[in-house]
């Protein structure tokens, strides 16, 4: 399980850090369609649209604006955005907090892989210690 979590998280560390810092090509996102998913008692929506870099050299159609919601835009509306190189999304100029989940995933994977080594190196921690006053005399 630890290897799987590391496999899923390590390739995303760089993109998550770039997204957190909004490090990439600045431009404008134009909202086209609203994509919503219904969950029991909850709805999650994201705007899909086109990104155009400030210089006009980069045009990326059909990308999602991370952190957008039903109320954040309307069809045809534009907003500043940053292309960090992710295949299917762009970010607002304030960045994102994706790095938190990615870090937790990597940390959990590492902890799962290292826990057998910790148990072997510190066997008393696994067995538990008895307080000296609990030993019969």
């Amino acid at each position: 399980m630890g290897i799987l979590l590391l496999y899923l998280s390590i390739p995303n560390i760089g993109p998550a850090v770039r997204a957190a810092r909004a490090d990439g090509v600045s431009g404008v996102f134009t909202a086209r369609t609203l994509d919503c998913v219904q969950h029991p008692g909850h709805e999650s929506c994201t705007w899909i649209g086109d990104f155009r870099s400030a210089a006009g050299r980069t045009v990326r159609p059909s990308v999602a604006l991370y952190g957008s919601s039903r109320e954040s835009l309307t069809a045809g509306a534009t907003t500043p955005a940053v292309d960090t190189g992710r295949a299917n999304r762009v970010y607002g100029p304030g960045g994102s907090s994706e790095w938190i989940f990615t870090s937790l995933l990597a940390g959990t994977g590492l902890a799962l892989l290292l826990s057998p080594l910790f148990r072997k190196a510190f066997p008393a921690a696994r067995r538990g210690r008895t307080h000296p006053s609990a030993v019969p005399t």
Side-chain angles (χ1 to χ4, degrees):
M1 185 58 118
I3 292 172
L4 176 64
L5 292 177
L6 288 173
Y7 175 78
L8 293 173
S9 62
I10 288 177
N12 292 313
I13 290 174
V17 169
R18 281 193 304 277
R21 298 181 348 188
D23 183 18
V25 178
S26 295
V28 174
F29 174 83
T30 303
R32 298 287 178 220
T33 59
L34 185 63
D35 182 33
C36 296
V37 176
Q38 296 286 332
H39 303 285
H42 175 69
E43 178 183 62
S44 178
C45 295
T46 302
W47 280 98
I48 308 296
D50 306 322
F51 172 82
R52 180 179 298 278
S53 67
R57 291 187 189 130
T58 303
V59 177
R60 296 191 52 211
S62 299
V63 293
L65 178 62
Y66 176 84
S68 61
S69 67
R70 180 183 294 278
E71 297 80 23
S72 62
L73 296 167
T74 57
T78 60
T79 188
V82 177
D83 179 7
T84 63
R86 297 293 292 256
N88 59 350
R89 74 178 70 130
V90 295
Y91 299 86
S96 84
S97 57
E98 283 180 321
W99 68 271
I100 296 170
F101 180 72
T102 303
S103 298
L104 288 172
L105 210 59
T108 301
L110 192 58
L112 287 171
L113 282 178
L114 295 178
S115 65
L117 296 174
F118 179 78
R119 287 187 202 140
K120 192 172 188 176
F122 302 101
R126 190 178 69 189
R127 286 192 308 263
R129 293 189 178 175
T130 349
H131 194 274
S133 65
V135 178
T137 54

